[in-house]
Amino acid sequence: MLQRPAAALSSTPEQLGRRARHAWLLLAAIALAIATVALYGAGLYGRTTEVRALAAQGRTDANLKVALLRAVLESPRALPLLLSEDQQVLDALAQKSGAAIDVLNRKLEGLVSGTKASVLYVIGTDGLAIASSNWREPISFVGNDYRFRDYFSAAMQSGTAEYFALGNVSKRPGLYISRRVGDAAAPLGVVVVKAEFDQLEADWHEANRPAYVSDEHGVVLITSVPSWRFMTTARLAGPDLAAIQDSQQFGDALLMPLPITRPQALSPDMSIVHAVTPGGSDAEYLRLSTLIPSTPWRLDYLVPAEAPIAAAAREMRLLALGVIVPLLGFAAYLLWRRQSGQMRIAAEQAARTELERRVVERTEDLSRARDRLQAEISGHRSTEAKLQVVQQDLVQANRLAILGQVAAGVAHEINQPVATIRAYADNARVFLDRKQTAPAEQNLGAIAALTERIGTITEELKAFARKGRTAAEPVELRGVIEGAVVLLRSRFAGRLEALAIELPPPSLKVMGNRVRLEQVLINLFQNALEALDGRDDARVQVSVEDTTDGVTVGVSDNGPGIPPAILRSLFTPFNTSKEKGLGLGLVISKDIVADYGGRIEVSSDDSGSRFTIHLAKAA
């Protein structure tokens, strides 16, 4: 049980409310400060951790790239040493005869095809190339003057040199490795091998992480980003820039600084930079630098860092929120519980002081509430009575509509049998007057059968009005068509010759009920014959097609067609173009066919109409 503080006993609820608001504002300020510090610290920790992970992986990749570069360099470095002592090279430089030079050209051509070198050539002491592995090509080095190249002069002085430059003939960048032939006192010439790094750059490019090699001046020599070649890691001083451009070491390259900005050093060989790659936007990278042994070069490797660092910082911030939010929530719960206890004590004290006044006020409120409640109850009862009257009226209207549809359907469907009965009765009277009892008995028998048929139709139409469904059974389609023609014979006497019926074989059966299927065909035959009334070329084509999907019955006429306004709502009740029609025949026919899993389709134009009935075939 909470103990009642002395301050709570002498404080009103309003005073406690003000204190509570101040306490919550203080808690919110403290929580905001804690959350800010925690999120900042978590983000900083996540960034530092991710940078270390990226640095470890990037360092491994950078070392692998350095190893690959050294492997590419070692093979061509051995060639000048071997060729400087080769007898054929010595003979060609000493004799300078056409035969010796031709032998040397062929030797160099064979050597370059089996090594990773781009080209091999031999230069005399006058700086002119006397033999080259590309002596057959239009860009042959033979006869070119290389005295201005540093790799020639350096090799003549010190015996060996390495020089990266843009070829003045091939216009392709590469590393020129040269070695003097003969001793310093009596030099014969210089052997030069050029190594290109196209395949290495292509392999680096596939990693989709920028990497570049720069020389001691900061000029990019080898790079996975072709547009960065011969750019500089920092802006060159005026004298250095002029000296490099005068030497034509890199052709007419502008030697502009790389699009790498805002470096943030993390260690002597690691920094965070922003770089713009071709086709990309400004992004953050972790730049790792490492020296390449046996060369004055340096490899810089850029690892995409923006997305991984952001993800790591976000993850650590979420983790920090997962820790501090429950703690702050628990502190808020304790504060709320303390304040709730104080407010409850103060409320009890105030309630005891004003008990009598509140009792009086509550009594008056209850009296007014009772009056309002009685008025509402009276209003609800009146509304309920009105709703009951409206519901009864709707039920009665619905019942009358259903009875009207059933009555209209019955009248429509029994017209054909009644007309046939009338014709048979007239014929029977004539036969009796002529004392011909046999034909009269046949007509009376037909009348009895049609009377039974009317009863069956009435029951079927009642089932239709109730949306009932007669169980389907195998029915001989030929008998259905013949039965429909018999019912129409008396009404359309003399006009049935317009019917051209292709009767199916007796073995063809469909799923349905004979009487109901006859109703469908009678409606379609009757509509077609009425549409052709008065036409000399009247023709109604009835065809049956046995398909793999079922049985199709087509009824086509060459009448004027169905008006578009009627065709759009053809299967809607009471939609008809006939003066005395009810518009129920096609509606009933559609529902009958649908009861047995079939459908009716219609097409009509100025040349006539066609109704197609799809029925399920009996097994």
Side-chain angles (χ1 to χ4, degrees):
M1 294 295 292
L2 289 174
Q3 295 181 354
R4 299 183 179 184
L9 294 175
S10 60
S11 300
T12 63
E14 291 76 12
Q15 293 173 336
L16 290 177
R18 287 193 296 270
R19 293 176 185 172
R21 286 192 292 272
H22 294 160
W24 282 111
L25 289 175
L26 179 59
L27 178 63
I30 295 174
L32 181 61
I34 293 175
T36 302
V37 172
L39 291 178
Y40 176 78
L44 185 62
Y45 177 76
R47 178 183 179 88
T48 304
T49 303
E50 185 62 24
V51 166
R52 290 175 181 173
L54 291 175
Q57 179 62 40
R59 189 69 65 191
T60 301
D61 295 342
N63 291 337
L64 179 59
K65 293 182 184 299
V66 170
L68 291 175
L69 177 59
R70 293 189 64 189
V72 173
L73 290 173
E74 291 305 321
S75 178
R77 278 176 170 170
L79 288 175
L81 175 63
L82 297 175
L83 290 174
S84 65
E85 300 176 358
D86 185 81
Q87 188 61 45
Q88 293 175 338
V89 174
L90 297 173
D91 294 342
L93 288 172
Q95 301 173 9
K96 294 186 178 180
S97 63
I101 291 175
D102 183 63
V103 171
L104 181 57
N105 278 329
R106 297 179 185 278
K107 180 183 184 68
L108 297 178
E109 183 180 27
L111 286 175
V112 79
S113 62
T115 65
K116 295 181 180 180
S118 174
V119 63
L120 286 168
Y121 54 105
V122 178
I123 305 174
T125 55
D126 56 358
L128 296 178
I130 64 170
S132 175
S133 60
N134 62 359
W135 63 282
R136 298 179 187 270
E137 301 176 9
I139 59 171
S140 171
F141 291 179
V142 176
N144 290 335
D145 188 354
Y146 292 101
R147 284 177 294 177
F148 70 97
R149 286 298 197 183
D150 288 352
Y151 61 80
F152 172 76
S153 57
M156 290 291 290
Q157 293 177 4
S158 60
T160 182
E162 291 186 1
Y163 183 71
F164 194 99
L166 184 71
N168 64 325
V169 176
S170 65
K171 303 301 180 183
R172 295 174 59 85
L175 178 65
Y176 295 86
I177 304 171
S178 58
R179 190 171 185 87
R180 185 182 62 214
V181 180
D183 54 22
L188 297 178
V190 175
V191 176
V192 183
V193 58
K194 180 183 180 182
E196 296 182 356
F197 304 92
D198 293 346
Q199 184 59 46
L200 180 65
E201 289 179 330
D203 294 339
W204 288 2
H205 182 72
E206 290 179 358
N208 202 24
R209 291 186 174 186
Y212 56 92
V213 175
S214 56
D215 62 8
E216 64 274 16
H217 299 293
V219 179
V220 176
L221 307 178
I222 306 168
T223 174
S224 62
V225 184
S227 61
W228 288 5
R229 182 177 289 109
F230 300 151
M231 299 185 77
T232 61
T233 57
R235 187 173 298 277
L236 295 178
D240 293 338
L241 178 62
I244 295 175
Q245 290 179 339
D246 291 343
S247 69
Q248 296 185 355
Q249 180 180 0
F250 305 113
D252 56 356
L254 299 178
L255 302 178
M256 298 295 294
L258 286 168
I260 299 176
T261 58
R262 290 179 282 173
Q264 178 185 353
L266 302 178
S267 67
D269 59 352
M270 181 171 63
S271 60
I272 295 292
V273 298
H274 286 257
V276 179
T277 57
S281 57
D282 188 2
E284 189 177 66
Y285 292 87
L286 176 65
R287 181 172 66 183
L288 301 172
S289 301
T290 182
L291 297 177
I292 301 174
S294 74
T295 71
W297 298 346
R298 185 186 72 182
L299 171 72
D300 287 331
Y301 183 48
L302 302 184
V303 181
E306 187 169 352
I309 289 176
R314 183 169 56 252
E315 182 178 354
M316 293 307 299
R317 290 188 182 116
L318 290 176
L319 182 60
L321 285 176
V323 174
I324 65 174
V325 167
L327 294 178
L328 293 176
F330 182 68
Y333 168 73
L334 294 178
L335 178 60
W336 169 82
R337 183 177 178 182
R338 180 175 180 274
Q339 292 176 351
S340 298
Q342 292 177 349
M343 290 293 292
R344 185 171 61 252
I345 294 171
E348 290 174 356
Q349 183 179 1
R352 286 192 300 269
T353 303
E354 299 183 0
L355 179 59
E356 293 182 0
R357 183 181 61 82
R358 293 180 62 186
V359 168
V360 174
E361 292 179 353
R362 181 58 59 86
T363 302
E364 293 177 355
D365 292 340
L366 289 176
S367 298
R368 288 192 294 268
R370 180 197 60 194
D371 296 338
R372 288 195 301 270
L373 182 59
Q374 288 178 349
E376 290 177 359
I377 291 173
S378 299
H380 287 326
R381 289 176 179 174
S382 176
T383 303
E384 184 178 358
K386 292 179 181 179
L387 287 176
Q388 290 179 355
V389 173
V390 172
Q391 288 177 351
Q392 291 174 1
D393 291 343
L394 290 176
V395 171
Q396 182 64 18
N398 186 43
R399 184 183 298 113
L400 291 176
I402 294 173
L403 291 176
Q405 290 182 3
V406 172
V410 170
H412 178 82
E413 290 300 325
I414 66 175
N415 276 340
Q416 294 88 352
V418 169
T420 306
I421 289 173
R422 176 61 181 270
Y424 278 130
D426 292 341
N427 291 340
R429 184 182 297 111
V430 173
F431 287 137
L432 291 175
D433 291 340
R434 295 177 182 175
K435 306 301 182 180
Q436 297 178 355
T437 58
E441 289 179 355
Q442 293 178 358
N443 285 351
L444 292 175
I447 289 172
L450 289 173
T451 303
E452 294 178 358
R453 182 174 185 79
I454 289 174
T456 303
I457 291 175
T458 303
E459 292 298 325
E460 291 293 338
L461 289 175
K462 288 180 181 179
F464 167 76
R466 295 191 301 268
K467 293 298 181 185
R469 178 172 179 176
T470 306
E473 59 184 6
V475 177
E476 184 181 323
L477 185 58
R478 183 187 185 104
V480 173
I481 297 174
E482 291 175 342
V485 174
V486 169
L487 287 176
L488 291 174
R489 183 170 294 131
S490 60
R491 180 173 178 183
F492 294 96
R495 285 192 286 167
L496 289 181
E497 63 272 9
L499 284 174
I501 302 176
E502 301 175 6
L503 289 174
S507 59
L508 182 60
K509 295 182 179 182
V510 296
M511 296 303 295
N513 176 270
R514 173 165 180 160
V515 174
R516 301 192 77 188
L517 294 180
E518 284 182 4
Q519 289 177 237
V520 175
L521 294 181
I522 288 171
N523 280 323
L524 296 182
F525 292 169
Q526 176 178 290
N527 289 343
L529 291 173
E530 289 177 349
L532 299 174
D533 189 20
R535 294 176 66 100
D536 296 333
D537 59 343
R539 182 174 181 81
V540 179
Q541 182 70 36
V542 182
S543 60
V544 178
E545 183 179 359
D546 184 5
T547 65
T548 56
D549 298 332
V551 178
T552 301
V553 180
V555 180
S556 306
D557 63 65
N558 59 344
I562 304 172
I566 301 297
L567 186 61
R568 284 193 294 268
S569 55
L570 190 63
F571 294 100
T572 302
F574 308 110
N575 177 45
T576 180
S577 60
K578 304 175 187 177
E579 293 183 1
K580 298 183 180 180
L582 294 176
L584 291 173
L586 290 177
V587 179
I588 294 173
S589 300
K590 180 182 178 182
D591 284 354
I592 290 174
V593 173
D595 280 347
Y596 301 121
R599 67 183 188 280
I600 296 180
E601 298 174 350
V602 60
S603 60
S604 181
D605 52 29
D606 295 340
S607 60
S609 303
R610 176 179 175 83
F611 287 82
T612 305
I613 309 172
H614 299 274
L615 297 171
K617 184 177 179 181

